[in-house]
Amino acid sequence: MNKVYPLDVSSGYPRGAQPVGQVAPEGENVITFQRVLRALRRRLGVMVAVFVLTFAAVAIHSFQLQPSYTATARVIVNTRDQNIVDIGSVLSGMPANSAILDTEAEILRSRTLIEKVVQRLDLVNNPEFNAAKAEPSEWDQRIDGVKSFIKGLLPFGNSAPAEATDQPPEDPAAAERAELDSVISALRDQIAVNRVGATYIIEISASSRDRKMAALLANTLSEVYLDNQLDTKFAATRRAQEWLDARVGELRDELRDAESRMEAHRASTGLLRTGGDTLTEQTIRSINADLTSAQADYATKAARLRNMNEQMREGRGIDTIAEAQSSTVISNLRASQTVLSARKSDIMRRYGEKHPEYQKIILEEQDNQRLINAELQRIASSLEQEVMIARERVSSLQGSLNRAKGELAANNRAGVEQAALERDATATRTLFEEFNNRFKETTELDGITEADAVIDSYAPVPGSPSFPNTNLNLMLGFMLGMALAGLVGLVLELLDNFISSPEEAEMVAGVPYIGQIPLLPAAGAFTKARIKPAEYLIDKPHSGFAEAYRHLRASIMFADIDKAAKTVAVVSSLPSEGKTSMTYCLGRMAAMSGTKTIVIDGDIRLRQLTETSGVKCEAGLLEYLFGEARLADAVQTDEKTGLHILPLSDRKHTPRDVFGSRAFDAMLNMLQQSYDLIIIDTGPILLMAETRVVTSKVDQVVVATRWRKTTRNTLRETMKILRDFHANVAGVVLTFVDLRNKAHHDYTAANYKAYAKYYHDK
């Protein structure tokens, strides 16, 4: 029993179907394992072909590659300083940082070092690195022969050598250099230099077709690298020695001139020195000391004189005068005065004041006092002389000091220039000593210079080729083949725009899927002729092909449960979609089922139903509509099934609107009175306007869609036209369905073996 789709009032389409352009249900766009597996099964042949071709191409290419050997030497960059003597190098050792080590790795691949390797090993004459020295292979000779043959056929082929003779000859030196550069580039491409992790070890790898040459290249480059470091240091040391030697000579002359100018200026300005000071400074120091002493002596003596004069003016006793106390004469006179005083007292007691002895003593006292005063005057006079001498000495020393200061000021003014000369001489002397010492140290470095790297291990001769890695290439070829196969399958799936399954047909068309027409096999194994569907339907009534039409007939008859369909139009989007065969077979099946059925050929351009049924007619549909024949004369009967056929006669196309006329409407009404089912075969709806008119006048429209040939966009456009003409579409029928491959596209398709077992041909 066929499916029944209740009407959905909101959408106007049967429940479960979707209008054109509506988004598919969420489950339709979900990528599941089953969908992926079906896609793989659909594209398996193409994907296998792509995989096999890719894998075979990689394998063939790998086995045809020229083998290459790789040898690796290891160099340790030495960051330790071995100081045999405490002398700094002209070119210091390399600091231990990544930038320096990476720089050294790049130096190892520099063209300068590679050129030294080329010259040391004479690689210019090695055919492996100099293509000009290689003998052409048999394949190259064939290609050159073909080129020469083609040039000989060209009209200007013989004139090329004549033109070449007019060119100036190439410079031999430039040609030799160009050849050397090409060899350097070729060798550089075969050299790989890598730093081992974060260590100070650098690996030097060289590749060559000759295993011994590979080891020789790696070891030679290591040795050249060490020799280059030594040569660089030696060259730097020699340049430093030459420059230091010239500079020391210049500084020696400059020092001699500076010292001569300094001494000449000292002699001319009198800036003579004994020890650290000049003579003027020493003189000032001495005069200053004497002046200080003289001033102190003058002050002392002046004070003594001033004190003595004050004591004498005030008439104080002699005991208050310090100079009198220190005078021997005064001391003696005072002693005599004491004796006289004692005699005076004694005579006074015995004789009285008038005694001559008393008077004599008085006179003696007066003489003695006069002598004391005279001595005091002498002392005062002596002090005045001493004060005057001291003052003169102070004045003399002050004058000498002033003169010395003037001389010192002049010396100081001259000393400014003298100091500048001394600084110049000192600076020149310092530079001379530094450069002279450095020159002697650099001279000693010639014999103790070492490279900043050592060879950790020499490259051994490799035992097996490093290229090509056949196993790796085959694995990559396998992976590449799988990737390309998957990519091709994915692209084909993305580009696949054909209707493949009932669900897809319903989703795109927005109407129910009402059946499928299987693809019939060929008539024989050795013939291209195919079985006629209408004959196969009768010969094999229990086949799956016949059962498909029974199901289709039931689906059409009960598409509208409220009203049985009596007029049915079978349409297709484009030609060759099985529309005519489906119309004829559907009519035969209905007739065999006991339904009074008539089929009408509505394709007025190609008359395919008429040709398929094989009827011969002189009058047909057009003649009846134009009133040129009766309907009974136009209708033909299928002898095998009793199906009535209204064909088209072989006449020119008419410009009249046949299907939009009243005569056609009247004919349909009349036929509905006589027949239970009227099926109209139409032309492609996208190409013929008449088909669109027919679809608007029938009860149901069946859309024939060719499986895996009709595109989604084509079906959408067809459904849009049918909606525009308000056609009542019963559903979509998939034609030419290959049941063997349908399971790769259909979610609900039965297994082909089970289908064939049930619907066996008999």
Side-chain angles (χ1 to χ4, degrees):
M1 185 173 180
N2 61 300
K3 294 185 292 184
V4 177
Y5 295 91
L7 290 179
D8 188 348
V9 178
S10 61
S11 63
Y13 288 87
R15 190 180 308 275
Q18 296 177 337
V20 178
Q22 183 171 333
V23 179
E26 183 178 357
E28 296 294 333
N29 293 327
V30 176
I31 298 177
T32 63
F33 177 76
Q34 293 180 348
R35 297 186 67 181
V36 174
L37 184 60
R38 276 189 287 270
L40 290 177
R41 293 179 62 185
R42 284 195 298 270
R43 311 300 175 187
L44 185 61
V46 177
M47 294 173 65
V48 170
V50 171
F51 170 78
V52 171
L53 291 176
T54 303
F55 184 77
V58 173
I60 294 173
H61 179 70
S62 298
F63 288 117
Q64 289 182 346
L65 290 175
Q66 177 73 32
S68 177
Y69 297 87
T70 300
T72 302
R74 295 163 67 97
V75 173
I76 300 178
V77 178
N78 188 12
T79 60
R80 300 184 180 92
D81 294 331
Q82 300 178 356
N83 291 330
I84 300 176
V85 293
D86 190 14
I87 299 175
S89 301
V90 174
L91 190 61
S92 62
M94 291 179 293
N97 58 65
S98 299
I100 293 298
L101 294 176
D102 293 339
T103 302
E104 292 301 309
E106 291 299 322
I107 291 176
L108 277 165
R109 295 190 70 252
S110 64
R111 297 185 68 88
T112 302
L113 293 187
I114 300 298
E115 181 177 354
K116 292 181 180 180
V117 174
V118 170
Q119 294 176 348
R120 182 176 295 188
L121 299 180
D122 192 22
L123 298 181
V124 176
N125 296 319
N126 191 323
E128 181 180 355
F129 302 98
N130 190 355
K133 302 294 183 180
E135 296 182 359
S137 62
E138 182 178 356
W139 178 254
D140 294 334
Q141 293 176 357
R142 292 179 180 177
I143 293 178
D144 292 338
V146 173
K147 290 181 178 179
S148 301
F149 176 74
I150 294 175
K151 289 182 179 180
L153 295 177
L154 297 177
F156 51 83
N158 296 327
S159 60
E163 295 177 357
T165 56
D166 298 336
Q167 298 180 355
E170 187 178 2
D171 186 8
E176 182 178 356
R177 183 63 204 182
E179 183 181 23
L180 178 60
D181 289 338
S182 64
V183 174
I184 292 173
S185 300
L187 177 58
R188 196 166 184 263
D189 293 337
Q190 303 300 320
I191 299 295
V193 180
N194 299 304
R195 181 185 173 192
V196 181
T199 65
Y200 301 120
I201 299 177
I202 298 177
E203 289 185 343
I204 304 172
S205 301
S207 300
S208 174
R209 295 196 294 265
D210 185 356
R211 63 182 68 193
K212 294 182 179 180
M213 176 58 70
L216 182 61
L217 289 174
N219 295 330
T220 303
L221 181 57
S222 303
E223 295 172 354
V224 167
Y225 172 64
L226 267 61
D227 294 343
N228 181 72
Q229 285 191 343
L230 290 176
D231 292 342
T232 302
K233 288 193 172 184
F234 284 142
T237 302
R238 285 193 295 270
R239 289 194 300 270
Q241 287 177 356
E242 294 174 357
W243 183 80
L244 286 173
D245 188 14
R247 185 58 179 158
V248 165
E250 295 175 357
L251 290 175
R252 185 183 292 110
D253 295 338
E254 292 178 5
L255 178 59
R256 186 182 299 110
D257 295 339
E259 289 180 345
S260 298
R261 289 193 301 271
M262 181 183 66
E263 294 300 330
H265 184 270
R266 178 180 291 115
S268 62
T269 56
L271 297 176
L272 302 177
R273 294 179 181 272
T274 57
D277 299 330
T278 63
L279 295 180
T280 303
E281 291 174 347
Q282 295 177 6
T283 300
I284 290 176
R285 187 178 298 108
S286 177
I287 293 174
N288 196 30
D290 293 342
L291 178 60
T292 302
S293 176
Q295 288 176 343
D297 182 61
Y298 170 71
T300 301
K301 290 181 178 180
R304 288 173 57 195
L305 177 60
R306 187 169 51 257
N307 182 52
M308 183 176 179
N309 290 332
E310 289 179 357
Q311 295 293 335
M312 290 176 65
R313 281 195 303 271
E314 293 177 359
R316 297 179 180 178
I318 195 173
D319 293 335
T320 60
I321 300 175
E323 286 74 9
Q325 296 296 328
S326 61
S327 176
T328 304
V329 176
I330 292 178
S331 297
N332 292 333
L333 289 175
R334 292 189 65 188
S336 298
Q337 185 70 21
T338 303
V339 172
L340 288 176
S341 295
R343 287 175 59 195
K344 180 181 177 180
S345 298
D346 181 60
I347 291 174
M348 181 69 180
R349 186 178 64 253
R350 284 190 306 171
Y351 300 108
E353 293 180 358
K354 293 183 180 189
H355 190 278
E357 285 295 331
Y358 181 80
Q359 293 297 323
K360 182 180 177 180
I361 291 173
I362 291 300
L363 292 175
E364 288 179 1
E365 286 180 349
Q366 291 178 353
D367 290 338
N368 194 32
Q369 185 65 39
R370 187 173 58 254
L371 290 174
I372 290 174
N373 292 334
E375 183 62 23
L376 289 174
Q377 290 295 330
R378 188 188 64 77
I379 291 174
S381 177
S382 177
L383 284 175
E384 289 179 357
Q385 291 296 324
E386 290 179 2
V387 168
M388 182 182 66
I389 292 171
R391 184 171 59 251
E392 291 296 332
R393 186 168 179 267
V394 168
S395 299
S396 176
L397 290 174
Q398 187 65 49
S400 298
L401 181 60
N402 292 335
R403 289 191 299 273
K405 287 182 177 180
E407 185 177 354
L408 179 61
N411 289 343
N412 288 339
R413 288 190 295 271
V416 174
E417 184 177 357
Q418 181 67 23
L421 294 175
E422 290 178 354
R423 286 193 299 272
D424 291 342
T426 302
T428 304
R429 185 181 298 106
T430 302
L431 285 176
F432 171 74
E433 292 174 354
E434 289 291 336
F435 277 85
N436 191 37
N437 293 334
R438 189 57 178 163
F439 173 72
K440 294 179 180 179
E441 292 175 356
T442 305
T443 304
E444 298 297 328
L445 287 175
D446 285 340
I448 60 175
T449 301
E450 294 183 353
D452 291 328
V454 295
I455 296 178
D456 178 45
S457 61
Y458 284 94
V461 177
S464 59
S466 60
F467 177 84
N469 190 341
T470 305
N471 294 332
L472 178 60
N473 289 349
L474 293 179
M475 182 179 66
L476 293 177
F478 180 84
M479 296 174 63
L480 180 61
M482 294 292 291
L484 289 179
L487 180 61
V488 170
L490 177 62
V491 171
L492 291 177
E493 280 296 312
L494 294 176
L495 296 178
D496 188 357
N497 194 30
F498 300 110
I499 301 298
S500 304
S501 64
E503 289 80 1
E504 190 175 13
E506 288 186 352
M507 179 183 67
V508 174
V511 296
Y513 164 78
I514 59 175
Q516 66 180 13
I517 307 302
L519 177 66
L520 293 178
F526 302 100
T527 178
K528 295 183 179 180
R530 301 191 69 87
I531 300 175
K532 294 182 178 181
E535 301 300 326
Y536 189 84
L537 184 69
I538 297 175
D539 296 339
K540 306 290 184 179
H542 298 288
S543 64
F545 184 78
E547 184 63 25
Y549 278 101
R550 292 189 187 98
H551 175 77
L552 177 60
R553 171 182 170 273
S555 299
I556 294 173
M557 296 297 295
F558 297 100
D560 188 351
I561 59 177
D562 296 329
K563 179 183 178 182
K566 299 194 69 174
T567 57
V568 177
V570 180
V571 301
S572 66
S573 302
L574 297 170
S576 302
E577 294 193 77
K579 165 183 56 60
T580 301
S581 296
M582 187 175 70
T583 302
Y584 189 37
C585 291
L586 182 61
R588 275 192 161 189
M589 177 57 67
M592 288 189 298
S593 301
T595 303
K596 191 175 182 180
T597 308
I598 183 173
V599 293
I600 301 174
D601 190 354
D603 189 355
I604 60 178
R605 290 177 174 80
L606 297 182
R607 303 172 55 248
Q608 289 187 346
L609 179 61
T610 302
E611 295 179 358
T612 301
S613 61
V615 297
K616 304 296 183 180
C617 66
E618 296 181 356
L621 174 64
L622 295 180
E623 285 75 13
Y624 170 73
L625 294 178
F626 294 157
E628 299 175 0
R630 295 184 305 165
L631 183 61
D633 297 334
V635 174
Q636 304 289 330
T637 302
D638 182 18
E639 297 179 357
K640 295 182 179 181
T641 61
L643 173 68
H644 289 183
I645 303 172
L646 182 57
L648 286 170
S649 61
D650 188 9
R651 61 181 291 168
K652 300 298 182 181
H653 172 66
T654 175
R656 298 181 184 179
D657 184 7
V658 176
F659 299 106
S661 62
R662 293 181 180 180
F664 180 76
D665 295 340
M667 183 193 71
L668 285 181
N669 292 330
M670 183 182 64
L671 291 177
Q672 291 182 32
Q673 302 299 324
S674 303
Y675 294 94
D676 298 327
L677 181 62
I678 303 168
I679 305 175
I680 304 174
D681 181 34
T682 63
I685 194 170
L686 296 181
L687 304 179
M688 297 181 62
E690 296 89 340
T691 303
R692 306 177 186 185
V693 177
V694 173
T695 59
S696 64
K697 295 184 177 184
V698 297
D699 296 334
Q700 297 291 339
V701 175
V702 177
V703 180
T705 300
R706 185 163 183 173
W707 183 78
R708 298 294 303 157
K709 293 295 182 181
T710 303
T711 64
R712 298 184 183 94
N713 295 332
T714 300
L715 183 57
R716 289 192 184 97
E717 184 65 22
T718 298
M719 300 309 299
K720 180 178 181 300
I721 293 173
L722 291 174
R723 287 199 310 275
D724 292 342
F725 281 83
H726 304 285
N728 188 14
V729 181
V732 178
V733 178
L734 293 179
T735 61
F736 297 98
V737 178
D738 187 351
L739 297 180
R740 293 180 181 272
N741 297 324
K742 185 172 183 290
H744 300 166
H745 303 273
D746 194 353
Y747 295 102
T748 59
N751 181 269
Y752 171 74
K753 293 182 178 179
Y755 190 92
K757 181 178 180 181
Y758 189 83
Y759 294 109
H760 57 279
D761 297 338
K762 60 181 180 177

